[in-house]
Each structure stands twice: as C-alpha cells, then as structure tokens.
Amino acid sequence: MKPYERKQLLASVERDGATIGVSIPETVDVQGEPVDLREFVMEISRRDTVPAGERERVDRAKRNLRRERTERLDRLEDGDISKAEGEDLANAIVGIDRALNALESLGPTDLEGERERKEAADQKRWVSFLKQALGRDEDEARGRAGP
C-alpha cells in the first residue's frame, strides 16, 4: 500500500461521523474467536435496562472490542498490507466503532434503584425546605420545640 493510501484510510477511520450510516458487522474475530457482534448488540439494546449480571458481560465485550480496534488500527498504520487489506481493516474498525457507540449509549443498569435514590433525595430536600420555611431549624437550634 502506498503511503498516501494508508493516510487516506487512517483519516477515514478517525473522521468525526465515520460511523454514520455504517452497520454493525455480523461477526468479528476478537482475539481469534468469532463473535456474533450484531446479534449481541441488538440483544442488549432491546432491553430497557442492562441487568447487573449482564453489565459485566457488556463491559468485557467493550474492553475486547477496544483491544481489537487498537490491534487493527496498528496494523493499518504500520502493517505490510495491500490496499484491499487496508480497506477491509478500515471498514472493520469503523464497524467496531459503531458497535462500541451502541454499547456505550446503553442506559443505567438499575433504573428502579436510581429512581428510589432520587425520590429519597427529593424527599430529604423537601423536608429540609419545609423545616426552614416553618422556622423549625431555628427553634431546634435554640433548644425549643417547634409548634
């Protein structure tokens, strides 16, 4: 591959919006093992929340995909490859980026717990506001019982 071709492919991979309109690859070899990437991302994305048990699986998948992306990018930058191999690598990298974007955009794992924490914090702020508005904080600070 000629240096200018390599530079063009690297620029296309790193370009903002490179993943727009790109499909998640059906399968990707990650550390020599084929992974049904599209099916995995679709399965996880269909859920409203990611259960705690699945969160570890998703985090592990993201780590492996980042590692695979880095290895492929290194090959694209420095490898002795043909233009066709370079194009395949660039397409694979963009597909991995698309999958990573989808996995990164997943919501919190425990929406119910988060809702309960927010309600408790709201209630605490409300009680504090009422105490302050009714002057109870000042009465308690002076040692008097409020009305």
Side-chain angles (χ1 to χ4, degrees), residues 111-135:
L111 289 179
E112 183 66 25
E114 184 177 328
R115 184 188 59 76
E116 288 173 4
R117 285 188 295 280
K118 285 183 178 180
E119 282 182 8
D122 287 345
Q123 187 174 9
K124 190 174 183 178
R125 281 191 298 273
W126 180 246
V127 169
S128 176
F129 168 76
L130 287 175
K131 282 182 178 179
Q132 196 172 28
L134 297 173

PDB file of all heavy atoms in Angstrom, residues 111-135:
ATOM      1  N   LEU A 111     -32.468   0.999  36.947  1.00  0.00           N
ATOM      2  CA  LEU A 111     -33.345   2.171  36.908  1.00  0.00           C
ATOM      3  C   LEU A 111     -34.208   2.269  38.160  1.00  0.00           C
ATOM      4  O   LEU A 111     -34.457   3.367  38.664  1.00  0.00           O
ATOM      5  CB  LEU A 111     -34.233   2.131  35.663  1.00  0.00           C
ATOM      6  CG  LEU A 111     -33.539   2.391  34.337  1.00  0.00           C
ATOM      7  CD1 LEU A 111     -34.545   2.304  33.204  1.00  0.00           C
ATOM      8  CD2 LEU A 111     -32.863   3.733  34.334  1.00  0.00           C
ATOM      9  N   GLU A 112     -34.685   1.143  38.662  1.00  0.00           N
ATOM     10  CA  GLU A 112     -35.529   1.159  39.862  1.00  0.00           C
ATOM     11  C   GLU A 112     -34.750   1.707  41.053  1.00  0.00           C
ATOM     12  O   GLU A 112     -35.239   2.560  41.789  1.00  0.00           O
ATOM     13  CB  GLU A 112     -36.043  -0.252  40.162  1.00  0.00           C
ATOM     14  CG  GLU A 112     -36.986  -0.325  41.345  1.00  0.00           C
ATOM     15  CD  GLU A 112     -38.300   0.407  41.102  1.00  0.00           C
ATOM     16  OE1 GLU A 112     -38.704   0.577  39.945  1.00  0.00           O
ATOM     17  OE2 GLU A 112     -38.924   0.821  42.094  1.00  0.00           O
ATOM     18  N   GLY A 113     -33.529   1.241  41.252  1.00  0.00           N
ATOM     19  CA  GLY A 113     -32.700   1.727  42.351  1.00  0.00           C
ATOM     20  C   GLY A 113     -32.374   3.202  42.197  1.00  0.00           C
ATOM     21  O   GLY A 113     -32.378   3.956  43.178  1.00  0.00           O
ATOM     22  N   GLU A 114     -32.087   3.601  40.975  1.00  0.00           N
ATOM     23  CA  GLU A 114     -31.788   5.014  40.718  1.00  0.00           C
ATOM     24  C   GLU A 114     -33.010   5.880  41.024  1.00  0.00           C
ATOM     25  O   GLU A 114     -32.895   6.947  41.626  1.00  0.00           O
ATOM     26  CB  GLU A 114     -31.360   5.189  39.260  1.00  0.00           C
ATOM     27  CG  GLU A 114     -30.935   6.597  38.922  1.00  0.00           C
ATOM     28  CD  GLU A 114     -30.445   6.716  37.494  1.00  0.00           C
ATOM     29  OE1 GLU A 114     -29.872   5.754  36.968  1.00  0.00           O
ATOM     30  OE2 GLU A 114     -30.657   7.785  36.915  1.00  0.00           O
ATOM     31  N   ARG A 115     -34.202   5.414  40.622  1.00  0.00           N
ATOM     32  CA  ARG A 115     -35.432   6.155  40.893  1.00  0.00           C
ATOM     33  C   ARG A 115     -35.648   6.295  42.396  1.00  0.00           C
ATOM     34  O   ARG A 115     -35.989   7.377  42.880  1.00  0.00           O
ATOM     35  CB  ARG A 115     -36.625   5.449  40.249  1.00  0.00           C
ATOM     36  CG  ARG A 115     -37.946   6.224  40.411  1.00  0.00           C
ATOM     37  CD  ARG A 115     -39.137   5.420  39.952  1.00  0.00           C
ATOM     38  NE  ARG A 115     -39.312   4.164  40.656  1.00  0.00           N
ATOM     39  CZ  ARG A 115     -39.810   4.061  41.901  1.00  0.00           C
ATOM     40  NH1 ARG A 115     -40.156   5.128  42.565  1.00  0.00           N
ATOM     41  NH2 ARG A 115     -39.937   2.878  42.473  1.00  0.00           N
ATOM     42  N   GLU A 116     -35.441   5.214  43.135  1.00  0.00           N
ATOM     43  CA  GLU A 116     -35.625   5.256  44.593  1.00  0.00           C
ATOM     44  C   GLU A 116     -34.644   6.230  45.247  1.00  0.00           C
ATOM     45  O   GLU A 116     -35.014   6.973  46.155  1.00  0.00           O
ATOM     46  CB  GLU A 116     -35.460   3.857  45.188  1.00  0.00           C
ATOM     47  CG  GLU A 116     -36.619   2.938  44.866  1.00  0.00           C
ATOM     48  CD  GLU A 116     -36.378   1.504  45.317  1.00  0.00           C
ATOM     49  OE1 GLU A 116     -35.336   1.229  45.964  1.00  0.00           O
ATOM     50  OE2 GLU A 116     -37.234   0.647  45.014  1.00  0.00           O
ATOM     51  N   ARG A 117     -33.390   6.229  44.792  1.00  0.00           N
ATOM     52  CA  ARG A 117     -32.396   7.168  45.348  1.00  0.00           C
ATOM     53  C   ARG A 117     -32.789   8.609  45.065  1.00  0.00           C
ATOM     54  O   ARG A 117     -32.669   9.480  45.919  1.00  0.00           O
ATOM     55  CB  ARG A 117     -31.016   6.855  44.782  1.00  0.00           C
ATOM     56  CG  ARG A 117     -30.371   5.618  45.381  1.00  0.00           C
ATOM     57  CD  ARG A 117     -28.933   5.467  44.940  1.00  0.00           C
ATOM     58  NE  ARG A 117     -28.777   5.221  43.518  1.00  0.00           N
ATOM     59  CZ  ARG A 117     -28.936   4.048  42.931  1.00  0.00           C
ATOM     60  NH1 ARG A 117     -29.248   2.990  43.645  1.00  0.00           N
ATOM     61  NH2 ARG A 117     -28.781   3.907  41.634  1.00  0.00           N
ATOM     62  N   LYS A 118     -33.286   8.864  43.862  1.00  0.00           N
ATOM     63  CA  LYS A 118     -33.703  10.227  43.521  1.00  0.00           C
ATOM     64  C   LYS A 118     -34.908  10.657  44.349  1.00  0.00           C
ATOM     65  O   LYS A 118     -34.971  11.793  44.824  1.00  0.00           O
ATOM     66  CB  LYS A 118     -34.027  10.338  42.026  1.00  0.00           C
ATOM     67  CG  LYS A 118     -32.795  10.368  41.156  1.00  0.00           C
ATOM     68  CD  LYS A 118     -33.170  10.540  39.699  1.00  0.00           C
ATOM     69  CE  LYS A 118     -31.932  10.607  38.838  1.00  0.00           C
ATOM     70  NZ  LYS A 118     -32.263  10.774  37.431  1.00  0.00           N
ATOM     71  N   GLU A 119     -35.859   9.745  44.535  1.00  0.00           N
ATOM     72  CA  GLU A 119     -37.032  10.077  45.357  1.00  0.00           C
ATOM     73  C   GLU A 119     -36.627  10.363  46.801  1.00  0.00           C
ATOM     74  O   GLU A 119     -37.134  11.302  47.410  1.00  0.00           O
ATOM     75  CB  GLU A 119     -38.053   8.935  45.314  1.00  0.00           C
ATOM     76  CG  GLU A 119     -38.881   8.908  44.059  1.00  0.00           C
ATOM     77  CD  GLU A 119     -39.911   7.787  44.068  1.00  0.00           C
ATOM     78  OE1 GLU A 119     -40.093   7.120  45.105  1.00  0.00           O
ATOM     79  OE2 GLU A 119     -40.541   7.587  43.016  1.00  0.00           O
ATOM     80  N   ALA A 120     -35.712   9.567  47.345  1.00  0.00           N
ATOM     81  CA  ALA A 120     -35.255   9.777  48.723  1.00  0.00           C
ATOM     82  C   ALA A 120     -34.552  11.128  48.841  1.00  0.00           C
ATOM     83  O   ALA A 120     -34.765  11.866  49.814  1.00  0.00           O
ATOM     84  CB  ALA A 120     -34.330   8.649  49.160  1.00  0.00           C
ATOM     85  N   ALA A 121     -33.717  11.466  47.860  1.00  0.00           N
ATOM     86  CA  ALA A 121     -33.022  12.753  47.886  1.00  0.00           C
ATOM     87  C   ALA A 121     -34.020  13.903  47.751  1.00  0.00           C
ATOM     88  O   ALA A 121     -33.898  14.920  48.449  1.00  0.00           O
ATOM     89  CB  ALA A 121     -31.983  12.814  46.767  1.00  0.00           C
ATOM     90  N   ASP A 122     -35.023  13.742  46.883  1.00  0.00           N
ATOM     91  CA  ASP A 122     -36.053  14.769  46.735  1.00  0.00           C
ATOM     92  C   ASP A 122     -36.823  14.967  48.037  1.00  0.00           C
ATOM     93  O   ASP A 122     -37.096  16.094  48.453  1.00  0.00           O
ATOM     94  CB  ASP A 122     -37.038  14.407  45.617  1.00  0.00           C
ATOM     95  CG  ASP A 122     -36.445  14.557  44.237  1.00  0.00           C
ATOM     96  OD1 ASP A 122     -35.383  15.205  44.107  1.00  0.00           O
ATOM     97  OD2 ASP A 122     -37.044  14.026  43.271  1.00  0.00           O
ATOM     98  N   GLN A 123     -37.183  13.870  48.684  1.00  0.00           N
ATOM     99  CA  GLN A 123     -37.932  13.947  49.936  1.00  0.00           C
ATOM    100  C   GLN A 123     -37.098  14.630  51.018  1.00  0.00           C
ATOM    101  O   GLN A 123     -37.604  15.465  51.771  1.00  0.00           O
ATOM    102  CB  GLN A 123     -38.352  12.551  50.396  1.00  0.00           C
ATOM    103  CG  GLN A 123     -39.266  12.580  51.595  1.00  0.00           C
ATOM    104  CD  GLN A 123     -39.788  11.189  51.941  1.00  0.00           C
ATOM    105  OE1 GLN A 123     -39.351  10.190  51.390  1.00  0.00           O
ATOM    106  NE2 GLN A 123     -40.732  11.146  52.849  1.00  0.00           N
ATOM    107  N   LYS A 124     -35.826  14.309  51.072  1.00  0.00           N
ATOM    108  CA  LYS A 124     -34.935  14.917  52.070  1.00  0.00           C
ATOM    109  C   LYS A 124     -34.839  16.431  51.840  1.00  0.00           C
ATOM    110  O   LYS A 124     -34.896  17.218  52.786  1.00  0.00           O
ATOM    111  CB  LYS A 124     -33.558  14.268  51.981  1.00  0.00           C
ATOM    112  CG  LYS A 124     -32.634  14.638  53.090  1.00  0.00           C
ATOM    113  CD  LYS A 124     -31.345  13.829  52.985  1.00  0.00           C
ATOM    114  CE  LYS A 124     -30.426  14.146  54.135  1.00  0.00           C
ATOM    115  NZ  LYS A 124     -29.197  13.350  54.070  1.00  0.00           N
ATOM    116  N   ARG A 125     -34.700  16.824  50.571  1.00  0.00           N
ATOM    117  CA  ARG A 125     -34.636  18.260  50.265  1.00  0.00           C
ATOM    118  C   ARG A 125     -35.953  18.947  50.626  1.00  0.00           C
ATOM    119  O   ARG A 125     -35.970  20.063  51.139  1.00  0.00           O
ATOM    120  CB  ARG A 125     -34.322  18.465  48.779  1.00  0.00           C
ATOM    121  CG  ARG A 125     -32.869  18.284  48.423  1.00  0.00           C
ATOM    122  CD  ARG A 125     -32.561  18.758  47.017  1.00  0.00           C
ATOM    123  NE  ARG A 125     -33.278  18.009  45.992  1.00  0.00           N
ATOM    124  CZ  ARG A 125     -32.847  16.890  45.438  1.00  0.00           C
ATOM    125  NH1 ARG A 125     -31.704  16.379  45.813  1.00  0.00           N
ATOM    126  NH2 ARG A 125     -33.557  16.272  44.522  1.00  0.00           N
ATOM    127  N   TRP A 126     -37.095  18.282  50.360  1.00  0.00           N
ATOM    128  CA  TRP A 126     -38.403  18.848  50.655  1.00  0.00           C
ATOM    129  C   TRP A 126     -38.582  19.041  52.161  1.00  0.00           C
ATOM    130  O   TRP A 126     -39.030  20.102  52.610  1.00  0.00           O
ATOM    131  CB  TRP A 126     -39.489  17.954  50.079  1.00  0.00           C
ATOM    132  CG  TRP A 126     -40.880  18.447  50.314  1.00  0.00           C
ATOM    133  CD1 TRP A 126     -41.827  17.861  51.068  1.00  0.00           C
ATOM    134  CD2 TRP A 126     -41.477  19.643  49.809  1.00  0.00           C
ATOM    135  NE1 TRP A 126     -42.984  18.605  51.057  1.00  0.00           N
ATOM    136  CE2 TRP A 126     -42.793  19.722  50.290  1.00  0.00           C
ATOM    137  CE3 TRP A 126     -41.030  20.670  48.984  1.00  0.00           C
ATOM    138  CZ2 TRP A 126     -43.660  20.763  49.990  1.00  0.00           C
ATOM    139  CZ3 TRP A 126     -41.901  21.701  48.680  1.00  0.00           C
ATOM    140  CH2 TRP A 126     -43.189  21.745  49.183  1.00  0.00           C
ATOM    141  N   VAL A 127     -38.225  18.049  52.946  1.00  0.00           N
ATOM    142  CA  VAL A 127     -38.335  18.149  54.405  1.00  0.00           C
ATOM    143  C   VAL A 127     -37.441  19.266  54.920  1.00  0.00           C
ATOM    144  O   VAL A 127     -37.848  20.067  55.767  1.00  0.00           O
ATOM    145  CB  VAL A 127     -37.999  16.796  55.074  1.00  0.00           C
ATOM    146  CG1 VAL A 127     -37.841  16.946  56.577  1.00  0.00           C
ATOM    147  CG2 VAL A 127     -39.076  15.770  54.753  1.00  0.00           C
ATOM    148  N   SER A 128     -36.250  19.356  54.382  1.00  0.00           N
ATOM    149  CA  SER A 128     -35.328  20.423  54.787  1.00  0.00           C
ATOM    150  C   SER A 128     -35.913  21.790  54.445  1.00  0.00           C
ATOM    151  O   SER A 128     -35.860  22.728  55.251  1.00  0.00           O
ATOM    152  CB  SER A 128     -33.985  20.227  54.094  1.00  0.00           C
ATOM    153  OG  SER A 128     -33.119  21.280  54.399  1.00  0.00           O
ATOM    154  N   PHE A 129     -36.494  21.900  53.265  1.00  0.00           N
ATOM    155  CA  PHE A 129     -37.115  23.161  52.854  1.00  0.00           C
ATOM    156  C   PHE A 129     -38.270  23.532  53.788  1.00  0.00           C
ATOM    157  O   PHE A 129     -38.393  24.681  54.215  1.00  0.00           O
ATOM    158  CB  PHE A 129     -37.619  23.046  51.412  1.00  0.00           C
ATOM    159  CG  PHE A 129     -38.506  24.182  51.001  1.00  0.00           C
ATOM    160  CD1 PHE A 129     -37.967  25.421  50.690  1.00  0.00           C
ATOM    161  CD2 PHE A 129     -39.886  24.026  50.946  1.00  0.00           C
ATOM    162  CE1 PHE A 129     -38.788  26.476  50.320  1.00  0.00           C
ATOM    163  CE2 PHE A 129     -40.703  25.075  50.579  1.00  0.00           C
ATOM    164  CZ  PHE A 129     -40.159  26.312  50.259  1.00  0.00           C
ATOM    165  N   LEU A 130     -39.129  22.541  54.088  1.00  0.00           N
ATOM    166  CA  LEU A 130     -40.268  22.809  54.975  1.00  0.00           C
ATOM    167  C   LEU A 130     -39.806  23.242  56.370  1.00  0.00           C
ATOM    168  O   LEU A 130     -40.371  24.173  56.952  1.00  0.00           O
ATOM    169  CB  LEU A 130     -41.176  21.585  55.079  1.00  0.00           C
ATOM    170  CG  LEU A 130     -42.019  21.283  53.837  1.00  0.00           C
ATOM    171  CD1 LEU A 130     -42.786  19.984  54.037  1.00  0.00           C
ATOM    172  CD2 LEU A 130     -42.969  22.422  53.522  1.00  0.00           C
ATOM    173  N   LYS A 131     -38.806  22.568  56.904  1.00  0.00           N
ATOM    174  CA  LYS A 131     -38.276  22.942  58.211  1.00  0.00           C
ATOM    175  C   LYS A 131     -37.774  24.383  58.185  1.00  0.00           C
ATOM    176  O   LYS A 131     -38.044  25.158  59.095  1.00  0.00           O
ATOM    177  CB  LYS A 131     -37.134  22.012  58.630  1.00  0.00           C
ATOM    178  CG  LYS A 131     -37.595  20.678  59.156  1.00  0.00           C
ATOM    179  CD  LYS A 131     -36.381  19.866  59.584  1.00  0.00           C
ATOM    180  CE  LYS A 131     -36.780  18.532  60.157  1.00  0.00           C
ATOM    181  NZ  LYS A 131     -35.585  17.762  60.550  1.00  0.00           N
ATOM    182  N   GLN A 132     -37.066  24.709  57.150  1.00  0.00           N
ATOM    183  CA  GLN A 132     -36.519  26.056  57.023  1.00  0.00           C
ATOM    184  C   GLN A 132     -37.647  27.073  56.851  1.00  0.00           C
ATOM    185  O   GLN A 132     -37.646  28.130  57.480  1.00  0.00           O
ATOM    186  CB  GLN A 132     -35.564  26.114  55.833  1.00  0.00           C
ATOM    187  CG  GLN A 132     -34.661  27.306  55.828  1.00  0.00           C
ATOM    188  CD  GLN A 132     -33.624  27.185  54.720  1.00  0.00           C
ATOM    189  OE1 GLN A 132     -33.866  26.548  53.708  1.00  0.00           O
ATOM    190  NE2 GLN A 132     -32.479  27.806  54.936  1.00  0.00           N
ATOM    191  N   ALA A 133     -38.635  26.747  56.023  1.00  0.00           N
ATOM    192  CA  ALA A 133     -39.738  27.665  55.759  1.00  0.00           C
ATOM    193  C   ALA A 133     -40.598  27.878  57.003  1.00  0.00           C
ATOM    194  O   ALA A 133     -41.108  28.973  57.230  1.00  0.00           O
ATOM    195  CB  ALA A 133     -40.598  27.137  54.613  1.00  0.00           C
ATOM    196  N   LEU A 134     -40.759  26.847  57.805  1.00  0.00           N
ATOM    197  CA  LEU A 134     -41.582  26.950  59.016  1.00  0.00           C
ATOM    198  C   LEU A 134     -40.786  27.418  60.227  1.00  0.00           C
ATOM    199  O   LEU A 134     -41.346  27.576  61.307  1.00  0.00           O
ATOM    200  CB  LEU A 134     -42.243  25.595  59.312  1.00  0.00           C
ATOM    201  CG  LEU A 134     -43.223  25.106  58.245  1.00  0.00           C
ATOM    202  CD1 LEU A 134     -43.678  23.692  58.567  1.00  0.00           C
ATOM    203  CD2 LEU A 134     -44.415  26.039  58.120  1.00  0.00           C
ATOM    204  N   GLY A 135     -39.490  27.610  60.027  1.00  0.00           N
ATOM    205  CA  GLY A 135     -38.662  28.107  61.123  1.00  0.00           C
ATOM    206  C   GLY A 135     -38.288  27.057  62.139  1.00  0.00           C
ATOM    207  O   GLY A 135     -37.863  27.385  63.240  1.00  0.00           O
TER     208      GLY A 135
END
